[in-house]
Amino acid sequence: MKEYTKTQLKINAILKNSVEYLLIILGALLASFSVACILLPNGAIDYGTAGVAIIISKLTGFNLSACVFAIFAPFLIAGTIILGAKFGIKAAVGAAVYTVGLALFEKMPFELDVEHFIAVAFGGAILGAGLALILRNGGCIDGSEIFANILTRMLADKTGKSFSMTYILIGFNACVYLAAFILINRNSSLLSLLVYVVATIIIDHFTDRFEAIKQVTIITKEPDALVAEIKKRLNKTCTMMDSYGAIAGQNKTIICYVNYFELTKMREIISKYKGFSTVSTIDEIIK
């Protein structure tokens, strides 16, 4: 019976990982279709590092998919080192499908017979849906998000405070749109801003504001080993409080603050220990 349980757990883990990768691939295809078939033909660009790559491609004539991958590659390497091999593999799969998708969809005849404004809003919604699928399943195809994660980690290590990625992402994308305004044209930058707003609304709806700080609350009878592993693998400190369950009896309640990209690793840690956990979004931490 015990052996059967281990086998089932292994099968469930394989199925779960397979579904996650399939959804990342689907999300990357949706995102690349939106950019190649809807946004670019209607004068808009993607945001983040993909937006930087599109600007470079437009100015130099270099291949778009090659530019996208070249710009993302350094962030992918940094993300793998900091967030782990599992994140790196998922990000690499998503990025590979996204760049191949761009190359394929650029050659596909597709036209929306509507006004640019409507087409761009529709394209932004598809892009947001694709990115939400990728983020929800532990992947990433935008280097700006990895950059924001690295910067908030550095700030947290130096100050001991948790920081949201929101302002870093807004600042990064503001620079992208300013560059589009100056180097391409004002219509392109304004339409691209619409893409960002629509896509962000869709992503926030499905990921509960991934750029915000996440509070993880864990109720467990094995607090010491759990806290030690969180410290070792995530370099995060925790708050512990005594708690009492009507059925379980005496417990410890652990509270820890992480960002969205650290949640996957936090879930891996928590899964090793018996207990109950919740995740909530925090707007601000005052110290």
Side-chain angles (χ1 to χ4, degrees):
M1 181 66 180
K2 190 174 181 181
E3 191 64 36
Y4 172 78
T5 302
K6 285 183 178 179
T7 304
Q8 280 298 110
L9 288 173
K10 190 174 182 180
I11 292 172
N12 290 341
I14 292 171
L15 288 174
K16 182 176 180 293
N17 285 333
S18 299
V19 170
E20 286 177 351
Y21 278 103
L22 286 173
L23 291 175
I24 287 171
I25 290 170
L26 175 60
L29 289 173
L30 284 173
S32 58
F33 170 79
S34 172
V35 172
C37 294
I38 301 176
L39 300 184
L40 291 177
N42 285 280
I45 65 172
D46 196 355
Y47 59 89
T49 52
V52 174
I54 291 170
I55 292 172
I56 292 173
S57 177
K58 282 180 173 289
L59 293 177
T60 63
F62 291 157
N63 180 269
L64 174 58
S65 55
C67 287
V68 168
F69 194 80
I71 296 292
F72 182 68
F75 296 97
L76 174 61
I77 295 168
T80 302
I81 294 169
I82 292 173
L83 296 171
K86 189 172 182 179
F87 169 83
I89 294 170
K90 286 184 174 181
V93 169
V97 174
Y98 179 69
T99 52
V100 170
L102 286 175
L104 294 175
F105 289 130
E106 274 186 311
K107 300 173 183 177
M108 187 178 82
F110 182 86
E111 185 177 351
L112 281 178
D113 189 19
V114 295
E115 294 181 3
H116 288 322
F117 181 87
I118 297 173
V120 167
F122 180 63
I126 295 176
L127 175 64
L131 295 177
L133 279 175
I134 294 168
L135 289 168
R136 277 189 66 89
N137 291 280
C140 178
I141 60 169
D142 183 10
S144 65
E145 292 155 4
I146 299 174
F147 170 74
N149 176 76
I150 294 170
L151 195 54
T152 53
R153 271 194 166 213
M154 291 172 60
L155 290 170
D157 290 342
K158 288 189 175 183
T159 64
K161 299 179 180 180
S162 295
F163 294 89
S164 169
M165 296 187 291
T166 302
Y167 298 112
I168 299 171
L169 290 172
I170 289 174
F172 189 100
N173 288 304
C175 293
V176 173
Y177 294 136
L178 181 61
F181 186 89
I182 296 170
L183 300 173
I184 303 178
N185 61 64
R186 66 183 66 183
N187 288 339
S188 178
S189 63
L190 292 174
L191 287 170
S192 302
L193 182 59
L194 174 63
V195 172
Y196 178 70
V197 171
V198 174
T200 302
I201 290 171
I202 299 295
I203 293 169
D204 285 350
H205 178 74
F206 289 104
T207 62
D208 189 23
R209 296 178 50 220
F210 82 94
E211 80 284 358
I213 301 165
K214 303 298 177 181
Q215 176 180 299
V216 181
T217 304
I218 311 158
I219 301 173
T220 181
K221 289 184 177 293
E222 306 172 87
D224 296 332
L226 179 55
V227 170
E229 188 165 356
I230 291 172
K231 176 63 179 174
K232 180 181 178 181
R233 294 184 61 186
L234 289 171
N235 194 27
K236 298 287 183 180
T237 186
C238 300
T239 298
M240 284 200 295
M241 299 175 288
D242 291 325
S243 56
Y244 191 88
I247 297 174
Q250 194 69 36
N251 297 299
K252 286 284 187 181
T253 297
I254 301 169
I255 297 175
C256 186
Y257 297 97
V258 298
N259 64 44
Y260 193 87
F261 293 106
E262 293 167 329
L263 270 179
T264 300
K265 195 173 287 187
M266 178 64 89
R267 290 189 180 105
E268 288 177 14
I269 296 170
I270 294 171
S271 67
K272 298 178 182 178
Y273 303 88
K274 292 180 181 179
F276 172 81
S277 60
T278 61
V279 179
S280 55
T281 298
I282 303 297
D283 289 317
E284 185 178 3
I285 296 177
I286 300 174
K287 292 189 178 181

